[in-house]
Amino acid sequence: MKSLDLLKPLIPFLILVVALPLLGLILRAVWLMLRGGPADEAVAYRKVGGILTAAERSFFGVLKSVSPESYQIGFKVRLADIIAPVNGLSKSRRQGALNRIQSKHVDFLICRSDDLSPLLVIELDDASHRRQDQSDRDKVKDAALKSAGIPILRVDCRRGYNPKELRESVLGMIGG
């Protein structure tokens, strides 16, 4: 009994020296596991075959051929890089608006060459756009772009495109 009584004053010290550091190591391990590993840990990635699908590459070629030099064409541009929520929203409404556009992109973006300001978004719609989930995403994108004052041209995906018709559609929407 006397030996246990001698250890009682050492218990807080043992907790500080042994238990707390051990608990810290366990918490760090759980935190690293949840966030994906240590910051300096190499993560394995692979290069994708191409940024555009075959249909998008085909359309891009025609679009480049009909676009005047005073315009630049971007592709796979994040929606959040060309529009932003209006000023004056509450923090929660601003975050909600950002969340709705954050993971979306536009297929093609036509900008002025001089200042790269957005003029027109072009979406190439294939069969997937008839699915309800994709249709819902398209509605969000269309409403957001309309609100920001950026017109959107939706083009049905097909084997070939009439360059003259495409040029007229593009220039008609950007006033060129």
Side-chain angles (χ1 to χ4, degrees), residues 78-89 93-102 118 141 143-150:
R78 283 183 344 129
L79 193 54
D81 288 334
I82 58 174
I83 64 173
V86 296
N87 294 330
L89 296 176
R93 290 198 64 206
R94 179 176 179 72
Q95 190 60 53
L98 281 172
N99 290 346
R100 281 190 291 284
I101 64 169
Q102 193 163 344
K141 193 182 299 185
L145 288 165
K146 181 178 181 180
S147 173
I150 300 173

Side-chain angles (χ1 to χ4, degrees), residues 96-131:
L98 281 172
N99 290 346
R100 281 190 291 284
I101 64 169
Q102 193 163 344
S103 63
K104 292 176 177 55
H105 74 275
V106 300
D107 291 334
F108 300 97
L109 175 67
I110 298 186
C111 298
R112 291 181 175 290
S113 287
D114 57 358
D115 63 1
L116 296 177
S117 59
L119 295 172
L120 174 66
V121 163
I122 301 175
E123 286 289 289
L124 191 58
D125 292 345
D126 60 12
S128 71
H129 289 260
R130 290 191 289 270
R131 290 190 335 249

